[in-house]
Amino acid sequence: VRRGEAVDKVIGAVLGTATTTADGRVVVVARTSYAIPCHDRDGEMFVDVEFHKTMLGLHARVNPEERVVGWFSAGSVTPEARALVHEFFAKEALNGTPVHVMLDADFTGAGNGGEMLSASVGDTVLATTDRESGESRSAGVWFSEIECEVDLQQATKLGVESLRSASSAKDDDDVAGLAQTMGKLGKLLTDAQAYVDAVVRGERQGDAEVGRALSAALAGVPQLTKAQFDKVFGDSAEDVMMVRYLTNLTRTQLTLAEKLHTAALIV
């Protein structure tokens, strides 16, 4: 689920397992998550509860041992909305104590040496019971930060490092972004050619590892004529345009379905 263009926050459910150690500590292992559509209207926040129930039911069919252990957020979530969303997940989480995982999607803290993820648990400050409805209401939630360890696979770690360093070309104009990427590729090819020429002339000592890497890269390049390359590039461009068209069409259908049939819970 992709957030709307005007939405500056993302929340979702975190699923996993929870175990208790011999010394009484609770260890929560978060294994998967999914985003839940939400939006603001008239200063209030609405969460798509039906979507959450559907996704949770589908996930239970595949991994029945994984339960809701908390929720995550990225973006600007107000303290009031954070407390109410936390109470909502407290009704479904294991042991009634959900973990709130906060994601630094802008890498502002990570860029200054901080962590990309942080976790906390909340305690109800003051709970009251409505005499008419019998519902329990709280005056607020006090959050305390807990220890959080991120275990990433090598492929995921490389992707996160690339996002953190912002080394990829980002531009609203697709043509300008492609031109910037091709410029970087041209510079890398120039550096590689200069290195090979220097080794051939005997100006610098060759490295066998670099030579094998260059040989493997050249072996992976397909041998195409200019006409064949133009045809392959044109077909790929048409495929990309078709995918973009289908994506926009699907996004429009989902938006209409959300407006017409979505049941939302105000928090």
Side-chain angles (χ1 to χ4, degrees):
V1 177
R2 193 194 188 287
R3 64 176 175 83
E5 295 296 337
V7 177
D8 59 351
K9 65 179 68 67
V10 177
I11 66 171
V14 176
L15 289 81
T17 59
T19 57
T20 304
T21 60
D23 56 356
R25 294 199 312 164
V26 178
V27 178
V28 176
V29 180
R31 300 187 180 276
T32 186
S33 63
Y34 56 84
I36 302 176
C38 65
H39 62 277
D40 294 328
R41 184 168 55 194
D42 298 332
E44 297 176 328
M45 183 176 175
F46 292 82
V47 177
D48 191 343
V49 179
E50 292 300 324
F51 179 89
H52 165 61
K53 292 180 179 179
T54 301
M55 289 294 296
L56 185 60
L58 293 174
H59 186 84
R61 296 182 182 180
V62 181
N63 298 306
E65 71 279 0
E66 295 183 0
R67 303 283 301 278
V68 176
V69 295
W71 64 289
F72 73 89
S73 66
S76 57
V77 180
T78 62
E80 295 80 6
R82 182 186 182 191
L84 293 173
V85 174
H86 195 80
E87 289 183 354
F88 168 74
F89 281 98
K91 301 176 182 177
E92 303 186 7
L94 291 174
N95 302 325
T97 306
V99 177
H100 179 203
V101 180
M102 289 163 287
L103 173 64
D104 182 13
D106 296 329
F107 296 98
T108 53
N112 298 325
E115 295 294 335
M116 186 181 65
L117 292 176
S118 61
S120 60
V121 293
D123 296 322
T124 302
V125 176
L126 177 62
T128 59
T129 303
D130 192 301
R131 295 183 179 180
E132 297 181 358
S133 62
E135 296 181 356
S136 178
R137 300 178 180 177
S138 65
V141 179
W142 176 268
F143 289 93
S144 303
E145 189 170 352
I146 59 176
E147 181 181 356
C148 179
E149 179 180 352
V150 182
D151 184 11
L152 295 178
Q153 297 181 356
Q154 185 64 23
T156 307
K157 187 179 298 185
L158 292 174
V160 172
E161 291 297 332
S162 299
L163 290 174
R164 179 180 297 180
S165 60
S167 60
S168 59
K170 296 180 180 179
D171 201 300
D172 294 336
D173 188 354
D174 294 339
V175 177
L178 178 60
Q180 185 176 355
T181 302
M182 296 302 295
K184 289 185 177 181
L185 178 59
K187 184 178 183 303
L188 292 176
L189 292 175
T190 302
D191 294 341
Q193 183 178 3
Y195 170 81
V196 173
D197 292 342
V199 172
V200 171
R201 291 193 299 266
E203 298 176 359
R204 62 179 302 176
Q205 183 68 29
D207 190 336
E209 291 293 334
V210 175
R212 281 191 287 268
L214 291 175
S215 178
L218 291 175
V221 177
Q223 302 297 324
L224 299 175
T225 63
K226 183 179 184 302
Q228 291 173 335
F229 177 80
D230 292 340
K231 183 178 185 304
V232 172
F233 185 82
D235 293 342
S236 300
E238 292 178 358
D239 293 340
V240 171
M241 295 300 294
M242 178 60 68
V243 170
R244 292 187 61 181
Y245 169 76
L246 294 176
T247 301
N248 293 332
L249 181 61
T250 304
R251 182 184 295 112
T252 303
Q253 292 179 342
L254 290 176
T255 302
L256 292 175
E258 181 182 357
K259 297 293 185 182
L260 297 175
H261 304 291
T262 295
L265 172 68
I266 182 174
V267 296

